[in-house]
Amino acid sequence: MTEPDQNAEDVAVAPVVAVVGRPNVGKSTLVNRILGRREAVVQDVPGVTRDRVAYDALWNGRRFTLVDTGGWEPDARGLQAMVSAQAERAVATADVVLFVVDGRTGATDTDLVVARTLRRAKRPVVLAVTKVDDERLEPDTAELWSLGLGEPRPVSGLHGRGSGDLLDAVLELLPDAPADVDVEGGPRRVALVGRPNVGKSSLLNRLTGEDRSVVDSVAGTTIDPVDSLVELGGEVWRFVDTAGLRRRVHQASGMEYYASLRTAAAIEAAEVAVVLLDAADRISEQDQRVIAEVVDAGRALVLAFNKWDLLDEDRHDLLEKEVARDLARVAWAPRINVSAKTGRAVEKLAAALRTALGSWDRRISTGRLNTWLSEVVSQTPPPARGGKAPRVLFATQADTRPPRFVLFTTGFLEAGYRRFLERKLREDFEFTGTPIEISVRVREKRKR
């Protein structure tokens, strides 16, 4: 048992997440996965956990208190009744409830009673469906919408599959909590990337108003990412100037190899990337590779064309044709034309960053999404394949940062139709500046 006064200040400050569910659904295994260490006792016997046990947890720079509870059986008697009472108290004092259901057995009568109690408690609830160790089991979790607690989130406490998405959903519902001192927090994180000598360090120096980064006409001056706090558009941002990416990491060598690794890590750690291109030079394969790396990492994206002060009319016309031809894949990205040397339009960067991050964070409610989907599919149904057109049953937004959507269908959707749906999503919900992922789950008919 934990001492009542231990870390009293932290517990009072940090928001509380209560993990509840009937016995032996895998609550303690999930708690250990969230903590990243083996704290809760796990055994393949129901009723190992009895007391409420609190742990300090951290995810994406947010601290919170995770409370593991014993199995909740509303109609229990004796010792189990006291265990259930502890679970009820945990719910009453929690900011968010993590309700755990066994994905292999589905919703039992006990789960239905607990779900009804949670709905009456008027606490934010995240529904975790455990023991979903394989993607083939994921479609079956859709049946748990019937509990009336929102989107069922498949997770494997044993293997960690889906745990990050689950924690992101929990964090969205938590009240404000202090960030851990060892994790980046506060200002939004911006990676400044591009091929060598496009003017990244010059732009950062312009933004900071000082020589924060070494600038030289020789390409490749920057090796380590350079962090700078920049006040732009009435807001403080954390910019990271990175080494120019010449080639793929596995093709680089020596110092360039390590610079590429650090740049890739900076992109992963950022929320949005500003890809700087040289407007006076043609769009190269290197430029496209840098953009692809940002998109593949799932980060918000802003395109900035530097050295705009050097353009003449002929180059301007050529550039527009190059953008239409070579950057069609990221036509959704905000574009600004700047000059690090003169300061032209640099202040417009803040608005572009906010637009991209707003889209990156955006979540569409399931009801609104499916109303929209019904209208789109009725106007433009998916093409038939093998003489039979697939039906789109329903959709849900599985995640944000970037937005990820899952479509449940009766058959395969052609890539062209998925691109059509993505284009409509962008038009109707203003997903500007963020990649979108659409996956399809084909629900096969069950044999009676």
Side-chain angles (χ1 to χ4, degrees):
M1 292 182 61
T2 56
E3 296 180 11
D5 293 331
Q6 186 178 10
N7 297 327
E9 291 183 6
D10 290 343
V11 173
V13 171
V16 176
V17 177
V19 183
V20 301
R22 59 184 175 82
N24 213 33
V25 293
K27 296 187 297 298
S28 295
T29 302
L30 182 59
V31 165
N32 285 337
R33 174 59 60 182
I34 292 172
L35 296 175
R37 59 188 186 275
R38 191 180 176 88
E39 288 274 8
V41 178
V42 177
Q43 192 172 338
D44 195 17
V45 176
V48 174
T49 305
R50 292 178 179 174
D51 294 311
R52 284 178 291 162
V53 185
Y55 304 100
D56 292 329
L58 173 70
W59 178 251
N60 273 355
R62 296 283 303 278
R63 291 190 294 113
F64 57 95
T65 300
L66 194 66
V67 179
D68 190 14
T69 65
W72 190 355
E73 293 183 305
D75 298 325
R77 296 183 179 181
L79 176 63
Q80 187 57 45
M82 290 188 282
V83 174
S84 297
Q86 290 284 340
E88 289 190 47
R89 290 194 193 99
V91 170
T93 58
D95 296 293
V96 174
V97 177
L98 188 58
F99 180 35
V100 183
V101 177
D102 190 329
R104 294 177 183 173
T105 61
T108 65
D109 290 340
T110 299
D111 291 323
L112 292 171
V113 175
V114 172
R116 198 157 51 240
T117 304
L118 291 176
R119 290 198 300 270
R120 287 198 301 265
K122 298 198 182 335
R123 287 281 190 276
V125 177
V126 175
L127 177 58
V129 187
T130 57
K131 305 180 184 178
V132 183
D133 301 330
D134 192 297
E135 64 179 3
R136 291 173 296 183
L137 302 173
E138 283 190 14
D140 295 337
T141 64
E143 296 174 0
L144 294 171
W145 280 96
S146 61
L147 291 173
L149 295 173
E151 179 185 344
R153 298 182 179 274
V155 64
S156 170
L158 191 62
H159 304 298
R161 191 171 181 275
S163 58
D165 293 341
L166 178 69
L167 284 169
D168 286 345
V170 170
L171 255 58
E172 286 185 5
L173 298 173
L174 284 179
D176 290 338
D180 190 88
V181 294
D182 295 328
V183 179
E184 289 289 343
R188 306 301 295 259
R189 298 183 298 281
V190 185
L192 192 55
V193 295
R195 60 184 170 89
N197 215 29
V198 293
K200 298 185 299 297
S201 298
S202 296
L203 179 59
L204 185 62
N205 288 341
R206 168 67 63 175
L207 291 169
T208 59
E210 60 184 42
D211 291 337
R212 181 68 180 85
S213 298
V214 177
V215 178
D216 197 282
S217 58
V218 177
T221 304
T222 303
I223 301 298
D224 292 303
V226 178
D227 277 32
S228 299
L229 290 176
V230 173
E231 186 172 350
L232 186 66
E235 185 175 350
V236 176
W237 308 80
R238 184 179 295 278
F239 273 77
V240 182
D241 181 20
T242 60
L245 292 177
R246 288 182 177 82
R247 51 178 71 91
R248 294 179 179 87
V249 172
H250 68 272
Q251 294 176 339
S253 61
M255 185 170 62
E256 187 182 23
Y257 171 77
Y258 291 104
S260 298
L261 280 181
R262 293 182 187 118
T263 297
I267 292 173
E268 289 289 341
E271 297 171 279
V272 57
V274 176
V275 176
L276 202 62
L277 302 102
D278 187 340
D281 195 4
R282 67 177 182 82
I283 297 174
S284 67
E285 183 184 346
Q286 291 171 285
D287 293 320
Q288 296 179 62
R289 192 180 303 135
V290 173
I291 292 170
E293 185 164 346
V294 173
V295 173
D296 292 344
R299 298 301 176 259
L301 171 65
V302 172
L303 300 177
F305 285 84
N306 190 28
K307 307 181 184 179
W308 199 257
D309 53 307
L310 302 179
L311 262 64
D312 55 27
E313 279 192 30
D314 291 341
R315 175 58 196 154
H316 187 278
D317 294 339
L318 278 174
L319 179 60
E320 295 305 318
K321 292 176 182 177
E322 289 174 17
V323 169
R325 182 187 67 236
D326 299 331
L327 302 184
R329 180 191 176 191
V330 289
W332 41 264
R335 171 186 162 185
I336 56 172
N337 304 319
V338 302
S339 170
K341 184 177 181 180
T342 67
R344 179 194 189 278
V346 167
E347 72 282 352
K348 293 182 179 178
L349 194 57
L353 290 171
R354 291 191 188 103
T355 296
L357 285 168
S359 300
W360 195 60
D361 292 331
R362 184 162 298 133
R363 178 175 291 280
I364 309 301
S365 69
T366 302
R368 186 181 174 201
L369 180 63
N370 282 282
T371 299
W372 168 86
L373 184 64
S374 297
E375 294 175 357
V376 171
V377 172
S378 63
Q379 292 174 6
T380 311
R385 196 175 188 220
K388 188 175 182 181
R391 288 188 300 117
V392 182
L393 302 176
F394 67 95
T396 184
Q397 184 172 351
D399 204 358
T400 58
R401 301 185 164 197
R404 296 183 174 95
F405 298 90
V406 181
L407 303 180
F408 292 85
T409 70
T410 61
F412 180 77
L413 290 183
E414 301 285 353
Y417 193 75
R418 292 201 301 272
R419 286 193 295 270
F420 161 73
L421 290 177
E422 178 185 340
R423 188 169 65 253
K424 292 295 290 180
L425 269 171
R426 292 188 180 283
E427 291 173 0
D428 296 341
F429 295 107
E430 297 182 358
F431 281 110
T432 302
T434 181
I436 290 178
E437 296 180 16
I438 297 179
S439 58
V440 177
R441 296 282 188 271
V442 178
R443 303 196 64 182
E444 299 177 358
K445 291 184 178 179
R446 295 185 180 180
K447 296 180 179 179
R448 292 184 178 274

